[in-house]
Amino acid sequence: MRNLTLLFLLCLSFLGVAQTTVTEPKNNPTEWSKDYEPFKIVGNLYYVGTYDLASYLIVTDKGNILINTGLADSYSTIKKNIEKLGFNYKDIKILTLTQAHYDHMGAMAQIKKETGAKLYVDEKDAAELKSGGKSDYEMGKYGVTFEPVQPDFLLRNNAKIKLGNTVLTLLHHPGHTKGSCSFLFETKEGNKNYKVLIANLPSIIIDHKFSDVKKYPTIQKDYGYTFEAMKKINFDVWVASHASQFDLHKKRKEGDPYNPKLFMDKENYFKRLKSLEEDYQQKVKEDSAKK
C-alpha cells in the first residue's frame, strides 16, 4: 500500500512538472543572445543586458535593482556583466520588468531564486507572470514561454519602488501587454541631476483586428491612453526595453568612454513614439473599414 501511495505521488509530481514545461520560442534574432559589454549610462544606472535585450542595473547604497532579464540564456550574460562592472550579483534586492514577454522575463525566476530579490510588477501583468506567459492575449499561443514566477508586490500607475537613495516611479503604459510599464527616476552625477526614463515603447504585435482580441477587450483603448501619456513625460535621459529602440549601437561602440549625453536625444524618443502612433492610427482605421 505504501509503495502504491508513493507511486501515486510521483505521478502527480510528474504531471505538475509536465504542466509547467517551458518552451521558449526558437529562431529569435541572434542579437537577442549576443554578448555586449556592460557600461555606465548615467549616475547609478548601468546597461547589463545582451546586444539587443536591455537589462538595467540601478545601484543604490542599500543593494541593487535589476530591470528585465532577457531570454533564459541571458542569465549568464547578465550575471557576468554585473560582476564585470565590479558589483556583486547577489546584491540584487529588487527585480522588476517593463513587460511580461519571454524576451524580457526568461531568466527572471532563476535570478529571483538565487538572489532572494523581491519582484515588483504592474498588477495587470501578474496573471501572465504566474502562467509563464500562457495567459497572454497573443504570445499565449506558444504556451508556457518562461518559468512561471510569483510576484511579491503588485503595483498601479505612479506607484513608487524605493531602495536606498533611489525611488523609481512606475508608469502604467498598457497595450503591448496588459501591464506594460515604463520607469522614471532621478539620478545624480557630480553636481548635476538627471531625470531618467526607461521607456516601454507601445509597439503592436497582432495582425488581426483589435476587436478580435477577446482576452484583452480594452486593448485599443489602452494603446490610445499610452500614446497620450508617453507624450507628456518630462525627462533628460531615455533608454528602452530593446537596445535597437533607442539606437544604442548607432550612438555607442564597445569601449567608448562614459558619455550620458548620448542618451539625451529627446527628439529621437518623440520621433519613434510618433511613428508607432501612426501605425496604431492606421490599424484603427483599417479595423473600422473591415466592419
Side-chain angles (χ1 to χ4, degrees):
M1 183 66 181
R2 182 181 179 186
N3 288 339
L4 287 174
T5 301
L6 287 172
L7 182 61
F8 176 71
L9 291 173
L10 284 171
C11 288
L12 284 179
S13 175
F14 174 78
L15 287 172
V17 170
Q19 288 172 353
T20 58
T21 298
V22 178
T23 306
E24 189 175 81
K26 307 300 180 184
N27 301 316
N28 295 309
T30 56
E31 292 82 5
W32 285 11
S33 295
K34 183 180 176 182
D35 279 356
Y36 187 71
E37 173 193 63
F39 68 96
K40 180 177 180 177
I41 298 170
V42 62
N44 61 339
L45 176 66
Y46 298 81
Y47 187 96
V48 294
T50 67
Y51 191 86
D52 187 58
L53 297 181
S55 295
Y56 299 103
L57 188 73
I58 299 175
V59 177
T60 87
D61 56 351
K62 298 295 183 181
N64 305 327
I65 301 169
L66 180 66
I67 302 174
N68 292 343
T69 63
L71 299 170
D73 67 8
S74 298
Y75 163 77
S76 57
T77 297
I78 292 170
K79 183 176 181 181
K80 175 180 65 180
N81 282 347
I82 290 172
E83 293 172 346
K84 188 173 182 180
L85 288 167
F87 303 115
N88 188 340
Y89 165 71
K90 291 291 183 72
D91 282 345
I92 297 172
K93 304 300 181 185
I94 291 176
L95 292 164
T96 190
L97 60 144
T98 56
Q99 53 175 276
H101 281 159
Y102 73 95
D103 52 329
H104 306 284
M105 283 290 302
M108 187 67 76
Q110 183 174 1
I111 293 175
K112 189 177 191 299
K113 289 175 186 175
E114 291 184 352
T115 63
K118 300 299 182 182
L119 178 57
Y120 291 67
V121 306
D122 186 301
E123 64 176 3
K124 297 297 184 181
D125 264 352
E128 282 63 52
L129 269 68
K130 295 174 185 177
S131 72
K134 190 175 181 179
S135 61
D136 183 82
Y137 71 92
E138 178 64 15
M139 302 305 288
K141 63 189 177 185
Y142 297 110
V144 179
T145 53
F146 56 85
E147 186 178 345
V149 59
Q150 181 71 36
D152 295 291
F153 297 96
L154 302 181
L155 308 179
R156 295 183 179 182
N157 189 41
N158 289 319
K160 309 297 183 186
I161 300 175
K162 300 178 182 179
L163 184 65
N165 53 5
T166 296
V167 180
L168 284 181
T169 298
L170 180 145
L171 304 176
H172 180 58
H173 289 156
H176 190 75
T177 67
K178 295 176 184 177
S180 285
C181 59
S182 304
F183 297 95
L184 197 63
F185 74 103
E186 290 190 5
T187 188
K188 189 172 184 178
E189 187 68 43
N191 59 358
K192 188 169 183 179
N193 292 319
Y194 297 87
K195 186 171 284 188
V196 180
L197 171 65
I198 299 174
N200 192 71
L201 296 178
S203 58
I204 296 170
I205 60 173
I206 58 172
D207 58 5
H208 46 276
K209 294 169 64 174
F210 283 132
S211 59
D212 291 337
V213 186
K214 305 305 181 185
K215 284 187 175 181
Y216 190 2
T218 61
I219 184 172
Q220 181 176 322
K221 179 182 176 182
D222 282 1
Y223 268 114
Y225 161 81
T226 293
F227 283 113
E228 290 306 311
M230 294 191 80
K231 291 175 192 175
K232 299 172 184 175
I233 304 172
N234 179 34
F235 61 90
D236 302 306
V237 171
W238 81 284
V239 290
S241 299
H242 287 262
S244 54
Q245 291 176 329
F246 63 102
D247 294 331
L248 170 60
H249 304 296
K250 292 180 182 178
K251 298 172 181 175
R252 181 187 185 277
K253 304 301 179 186
E254 289 187 289
D256 281 356
Y258 171 63
N259 184 6
K261 291 182 180 179
L262 296 175
F263 309 102
M264 297 178 73
D265 57 338
K266 297 176 81 168
E267 182 180 349
N268 188 36
Y269 168 82
F270 288 108
K271 179 181 177 180
R272 286 188 172 268
L273 196 60
K274 181 180 179 182
S275 177
L276 290 171
E277 186 174 22
E278 287 172 351
D279 290 344
Y280 163 75
Q281 291 171 339
Q282 180 62 29
K283 179 165 182 54
V284 170
K285 183 178 179 180
E286 291 174 354
D287 284 1
S288 297
K290 292 176 184 177
K291 289 181 180 179

